[in-house]
Amino acid sequence: MKPFLCRLVWRDILASSGWEPESTITPPVIETWGWCISKDKATVKVASTKHEGGWYGIHAFPRGCVVEIERLKVNNLPRRNRHDAVKLVGPGGES
């Protein structure tokens, strides 16, 4: 499989050890962004870093927890300028 940039939406597992009512125990939905490097019937793997030909910072998600895999597009900019296309925005919308 050719790796692709993705947004992975998944449900986390949640446990309770107290006296909380069953209705209040709901698994949270979480997003992970990175490079989808592997997926099969059992597992989806997303990496955060590529270095010297290898993938690192890998999260392995059981397929049953995965809600959605969105394929993202990388700007069609020359490789040396891709970081210029990223604009970081603060909590108030300011950059």
Side-chain angles (χ1 to χ4, degrees):
M1 179 188 106
K2 182 178 178 183
F4 60 91
L5 190 60
C6 74
R7 178 181 70 96
L8 184 87
V9 180
W10 56 285
R11 295 181 65 87
D12 201 0
I13 295 168
L14 182 64
S16 168
S17 62
W19 290 91
E20 300 85 1
E22 177 272 332
S23 61
T24 65
I25 308 301
T26 305
V29 177
I30 301 172
E31 293 183 4
T32 296
W33 298 62
W35 292 93
C36 184
I37 58 170
S38 170
K39 59 181 181 171
D40 58 30
K41 291 181 180 179
T43 307
V44 177
K45 293 181 182 177
V46 176
S48 63
T49 304
K50 183 175 184 182
H51 179 66
E52 296 180 358
W55 291 100
Y56 303 95
I58 298 169
H59 286 86
F61 300 91
R63 269 288 189 168
C65 293
V66 175
V67 174
E68 175 186 3
I69 303 171
E70 179 184 3
R71 186 180 291 257
L72 302 175
K73 295 182 181 181
V74 178
N75 290 340
N76 231 357
L77 297 173
R79 200 165 183 73
R80 68 184 186 285
N81 292 330
R82 282 194 181 156
H83 68 279
D84 295 336
V86 176
K87 181 179 180 183
L88 300 178
V89 178
E94 68 281 353
S95 57

